[in-house]
Amino acid sequence: MANYDISVAHLYGNLMNTYGDYGNIIALTYYAKQIGVTVDYHLVSLNDHFDPETYNFVLFGGGQDYEETIVAHDLKTKAEQIKTYIENDGPLLAVCGGFQLLGHYMIMADGTKVDGIGVMDHYTTNMHDDKITILNGKRLTGNIVIKNNDTGETYHGFENHQGRTFLGKSERALGTVISGNGNNGLDKTEGVIYRNVYGSYFHGPIFTRNGNLAKRVLATALSKKYPNVNWSEKLSQIDTETF
Amino acid sequence: MTLKSSLARATAKSSYWVLRHILHRGGTSLPGKLAVAIDPDILKTIQQDFDLIIVTGTNGKTLTTALITRVLQAGGYEVITNPSGSNMIQGITGTLVTTKVKSSPNGKKPLAVLEVDEANVEKITNAIHPKMFVLTNIFRDQLDRYGEIYTTYDKIIAGIKNAPDALVLANGDSPIFTRGDFTNTRRYFGFNHINPTDFKPAVAPINTDGILSPTDHSVLHYDFITYANLGKYFSTTDQFARPELKYQVTSVDQLTPKYSQFSIDNTPLRIEIGGLYNIYNALTAFSVGREFGVTPAQIKKAFESNAQIFGRQEAINVDGKDVTIVLIKNPVGANSVIDMMLTETDEFSLLALLNANYADGIDTSWIWDAEFEKLHHTNIKAVATGGERYQDLRVRLKMAGFAEQAVYEDLTKIVAAIKALPTKKVYIAATYTAMLQLREQLKAAGYIKGGF
Ligand SMILES: [Zn+2]
């Protein structure tokens, strides 16, 4: 078997990994290994340079409010490179706080407004916003099921967020909420898809419980680096964990 | 004491008696509720009878409270304490009003050592001004309920501010305890068991929280890490560093799953329980004891003569199998258990049980921050999974490289599951309600007696 490898960047993994987000990389690595692909892990954190050419997949997880504030500040120095990575169709999974910070801004539970880097078109307000008519003042916490309208796949997870995210015109939801609350509890959207970026409020983490999504993102990453191999075909021959 | 407070106390005591001796229920919540209903100021009234020590933090406070109690008793104090688990305001009130306070054999004022839930510290200190706050640690713990580590600490700080004269005795190895704008005197305990020539500079692993310096928010570095984000930390961008320690672990001599040998302030000690985190619990108790004038020799004796208090790590025999049950509830706790298994030299099997009820924490994502991969460095021979969320654990362990697993969806088959494991030694790691269900099964099969 030929030897293939991909390089994964865990953006602020030491500060934004509050709900087992690293599990997404464990899942990706688990599937990659079975098709002969090695995953090289790189932590890219405060004061580190993010080179858009180096990585084949990026994970940007969620954090606590304090850490998110510090990250938001540093993220500005990487904004151009992250934009380049995204616009070049680089695969990226952004969870919770990471999802929020790629958008225009987020308002934290205490009302503080934190600037995102605006490389994507959504924004996030907080649970105390007057516009929020459902579950105002409450965290959106619990099990959630959504349906991906592109593929028909169903995804299972757990959401736990105070922020209410509203998608922009260039964005579509990762899925429609079947049960649970999703991005804001109002419009039945959960997460985001933009180019090869997937955003979500799912903990669980999403790739561990929804192997079909993990495999699709892995195939995208591999096909960009090794276009002459039929990765989807290879991945279809191994078992998928979904529960 | 006023008539009202006497009546409140008498009512609480009689309801406690009825609960315990007629209804055979242990709880102290109802007596507490009744007492407060009759006299809302009951706690203020009874506080003259004792000096209060509040023990709080996310992990290990039950065992630490029990250890502190034994240490202080060994030093000649009369000590009141709350039973395990009853660490909310009502249960505590119940404990205090139903316990008869005797005078201390050493002639000093009796002490109340209370394990207090982080969110209840402020409520207790609104009524009673403690002499001392003991802060064990703050790890991420069931965020679906209480929020983030700094939010949790803020709740404790609100309580500390109610009692500015109280001493704050805190774990100096945890960077969070250097934070907080309260004026109380602070003293710290921690680990100093490594010779500076053996320091291995490191940063904390990515699955830990609370790693930023409070001064300039830079990522902390460590001369050594004991576990999670605990250790001898320092900033590389300014002068911020771990504060000076008043009480310290000066050597770690032997770690096994069943006992640990170490020294604190050069006194050799032994506790009948494994796990480095339990040495922190012992260190905490040692520090409190020293603050109250208990001698190192008395503390040593207290540790050695009270082997049975290490109840949460329970050893039972199932038809010749040597079974150890450990509670897991959050990533740091689970990793501590995994670290403890790394000190096991015999072959063993692991049965992991996961539920996601309210008492377990309804979010199971923390299992992905538990480093089950490390188990490949042990003599582990078999892995089995179960509980209501067996799927999550099965996949977690499969992705950790344990392809072969017996899976038990139904805990009624758990006794058979234990017997089916290939090794004499078996570790069962279970979340809270899974542990209760497991105990029911073991009780029904006659392997353990009594309730929980
Ligand atoms: Zn979240």
Side-chain angles (χ1 to χ4, degrees):
Chain A
M1 193 164 13
N3 271 321
Y4 300 97
D5 60 87
I6 55 168
S7 195
V8 164
H10 192 182
L11 269 183
Y12 306 99
N14 54 346
L15 300 172
M16 303 280 279
N17 186 47
T18 301
Y19 297 88
D21 295 324
Y22 178 72
N24 289 301
I25 294 177
I26 295 176
L28 204 74
T29 307
Y30 168 80
Y31 292 114
K33 191 179 173 191
Q34 294 177 67
I35 53 167
V37 176
T38 308
V39 174
D40 297 320
Y41 173 87
H42 301 269
L43 172 65
V44 179
S45 190
L46 303 179
N47 305 317
D48 294 336
H49 178 65
F50 176 80
D51 176 11
E53 306 298 323
T54 305
Y55 306 107
N56 310 105
F57 172 74
V58 174
L59 173 68
F60 190 6
Q64 312 186 72
D65 285 356
Y66 164 55
E67 279 83 358
E68 275 185 29
T69 316
I70 305 304
V71 165
H73 189 74
D74 185 87
L75 190 64
K76 290 182 181 145
T77 67
K78 301 178 175 66
E80 271 315 304
Q81 290 77 18
I82 291 171
K83 188 177 173 66
T84 305
Y85 178 84
I86 291 174
E87 294 302 319
N88 287 342
D89 290 328
L92 187 152
L93 174 66
V95 184
C96 206
F99 170 29
Q100 296 167 352
L101 288 174
L102 293 178
H104 295 295
Y105 63 86
M106 55 175 284
I107 302 196
M108 295 197 303
D110 67 1
T112 312
K113 184 177 176 181
V114 176
D115 285 335
I117 53 172
V119 298
M120 289 171 69
D121 207 15
H122 51 271
Y123 67 94
T124 303
T125 180
N126 76 0
M127 61 185 172
H128 305 294
D129 194 304
D130 292 341
K131 194 167 58 181
I132 308 299
T133 49
I134 298 169
L135 296 165
N136 186 291
K138 291 206 170 72
R139 290 181 76 86
L140 303 180
T141 302
N143 293 315
I144 175 164
V145 182
I146 64 169
K147 187 176 175 185
N148 181 327
N149 297 316
D150 296 353
T151 63
E153 288 162 356
T154 300
Y155 304 139
H156 294 258
F158 183 88
E159 60 179 341
N160 178 10
H161 55 107
Q162 73 82 22
R164 295 341 197 227
T165 297
F166 294 88
L167 300 181
K169 289 214 169 58
S170 62
E171 299 176 318
R172 64 189 195 280
L174 172 60
T176 299
V177 175
I178 295 171
S179 64
N181 294 291
N183 287 337
N184 49 52
L186 293 171
D187 64 14
K188 294 276 167 203
T189 65
E190 201 300 313
V192 68
I193 303 176
Y194 171 73
R195 292 188 177 267
N196 286 325
V197 178
Y198 295 84
S200 179
Y201 275 113
F202 272 42
H203 302 299
I206 193 165
F207 282 179
T208 65
R209 295 191 60 181
N210 306 284
N212 34 20
L213 182 63
K215 282 180 165 185
R216 177 165 323 99
V217 174
L218 180 59
T220 308
L222 283 162
S223 301
K224 274 201 83 191
K225 184 169 181 184
Y226 303 107
N228 299 325
V229 181
N230 187 342
W231 293 106
S232 303
E233 167 67 24
K234 273 183 186 280
L235 282 164
S236 70
Q237 282 161 23
I238 58 170
D239 287 344
T240 309
E241 297 295 341
T242 50
F243 62 94
Chain B
M1 194 175 279
T2 63
L3 183 61
K4 196 158 77 166
S5 61
S6 305
L7 181 65
R9 215 167 174 170
T11 307
K13 278 186 182 163
S14 57
S15 72
Y16 180 69
W17 192 89
V18 169
L19 281 173
R20 196 176 176 81
H21 297 285
I22 302 194
L23 303 174
H24 300 289
R25 282 167 46 199
T28 53
S29 281
L30 180 66
K33 259 185 213 170
L34 290 172
V36 173
I38 296 169
D39 178 5
D41 290 330
I42 182 72
L43 282 180
K44 284 184 188 154
T45 310
I46 60 174
Q47 70 167 308
Q48 297 130 10
D49 299 350
F50 50 80
D51 280 335
L52 174 63
I53 301 168
I54 284 182
V55 182
T56 193
T58 52
N59 290 32
K61 53 182 177 291
T62 300
L63 182 54
T64 302
T65 301
L67 278 172
I68 292 171
T69 300
R70 303 305 166 106
V71 162
L72 292 171
Q73 285 167 338
Y77 285 92
E78 174 65 21
V79 185
I80 313 170
T81 189
N82 47 341
S84 147
S86 103
N87 59 15
M88 310 277 191
I89 180 93
Q90 261 129 7
I92 288 168
T93 307
T95 297
L96 293 178
V97 297
T98 55
T99 310
K100 188 172 159 48
V101 187
K102 288 180 248 149
S103 53
S104 293
N106 66 4
K108 295 187 182 151
K109 201 167 181 184
L111 297 170
V113 181
L114 299 181
E115 168 194 347
V116 181
D117 173 83
E118 306 85 273
N120 281 259
V121 176
E122 190 179 7
K123 288 181 202 158
I124 301 289
T125 54
N126 280 335
I128 310 185
H129 285 184
K131 256 257 179 316
M132 186 188 283
F133 291 95
V134 179
L135 311 182
T136 59
N137 50 53
I138 300 182
F139 295 120
R140 176 152 56 98
D141 180 45
Q142 302 175 12
L143 288 175
D144 49 283
R145 227 189 299 176
Y146 286 144
E148 309 179 337
I149 61 167
Y150 298 104
T151 322
T152 302
Y153 188 42
D154 284 344
K155 288 179 179 145
I156 295 174
I157 290 172
I160 291 175
K161 285 182 171 173
N162 275 337
D165 294 333
L167 174 71
V168 173
L169 187 62
N171 185 344
D173 288 353
S174 177
I176 197 168
F177 293 133
T178 62
R179 292 174 185 259
D181 58 349
F182 50 88
T183 54
N184 306 49
T185 304
R186 307 182 192 206
R187 283 182 200 140
Y188 293 100
F189 52 85
F191 272 55
N192 244 347
H193 62 304
I194 293 177
N195 198 306
T197 53
D198 297 326
F199 284 168
K200 290 199 182 77
V203 290
I206 62 155
N207 59 358
T208 54
D209 303 300
I211 58 160
L212 291 177
S213 167
T215 54
D216 63 356
H217 318 295
S218 60
V219 174
L220 290 170
H221 289 240
Y222 291 79
D223 286 324
F224 61 80
I225 290 172
T226 51
Y227 74 96
N229 69 334
L230 305 186
K232 187 171 187 296
Y233 55 83
F234 62 94
S235 166
T236 55
T237 54
D238 62 20
Q239 296 304 305
F240 178 77
R242 184 177 73 170
E244 199 190 315
L245 304 177
K246 180 152 188 215
Y247 306 102
Q248 45 201 330
V249 169
T250 40
S251 71
V252 174
D253 307 310
Q254 205 183 356
L255 295 174
T256 80
K258 297 247 154 92
Y259 66 89
S260 303
Q261 290 181 183
F262 52 96
S263 45
I264 300 176
D265 297 346
N266 300 308
T267 300
L269 298 162
R270 175 179 164 124
I271 53 173
E272 300 307 312
I273 191 169
L276 196 72
Y277 56 102
N278 283 312
I279 301 182
Y280 271 99
N281 297 337
L283 171 63
T284 311
F286 185 99
S287 307
V288 175
R290 295 297 293 133
E291 286 292 331
F292 282 88
V294 186
T295 66
Q298 289 170 322
I299 296 171
K300 184 181 172 72
K301 213 173 152 207
F303 287 171
E304 284 167 6
S305 60
N306 288 288
Q308 78 283 5
I309 66 173
F310 304 105
R312 282 212 169 178
Q313 195 161 302
E314 190 175 21
I316 53 168
N317 186 305
V318 177
D319 294 357
K321 284 208 192 289
D322 174 5
V323 179
T324 303
I325 305 173
V326 285
L327 182 71
I328 50 171
K329 61 168 187 166
N330 58 25
V332 169
N335 284 327
S336 303
V337 164
I338 291 166
D339 283 348
M340 185 267 288
M341 288 174 191
L342 288 170
T343 66
E344 176 58 81
T345 50
D346 294 336
E347 293 185 346
F348 70 93
S349 306
L350 169 67
L351 172 57
L353 307 174
L354 180 70
N355 281 0
N357 298 308
Y358 183 75
D360 306 288
I362 59 173
D363 182 358
T364 60
S365 59
W366 62 270
I367 62 173
W368 296 91
D369 282 328
E371 297 165 292
F372 293 106
E373 287 79 1
K374 276 190 181 171
L375 291 172
H376 291 295
H377 302 294
T378 66
N379 273 324
I380 194 163
K381 293 294 163 208
V383 166
T385 46
E388 291 155 15
R389 293 297 289 267
Y390 69 95
Q391 285 281 32
D392 300 62
L393 258 190
R394 178 188 66 77
V395 172
R396 174 69 191 96
L397 283 155
K398 192 172 177 187
M399 290 187 177
F402 296 96
E404 299 283 320
Q405 290 173 40
V407 179
Y408 297 92
E409 212 171 315
D410 183 356
L411 287 190
T412 60
K413 302 199 173 67
I414 217 67
V415 173
I418 294 168
K419 291 182 189 171
L421 288 165
T423 54
K424 186 173 187 301
K425 268 202 179 141
V426 173
Y427 285 95
I428 304 181
T431 59
Y432 187 72
T433 67
M435 180 183 269
L436 295 185
Q437 292 163 2
L438 167 71
R439 288 185 60 96
E440 278 306 313
Q441 294 300 319
L442 290 170
K443 203 169 122 188
Y447 295 107
I448 52 172
K449 289 191 203 85
F452 191 57

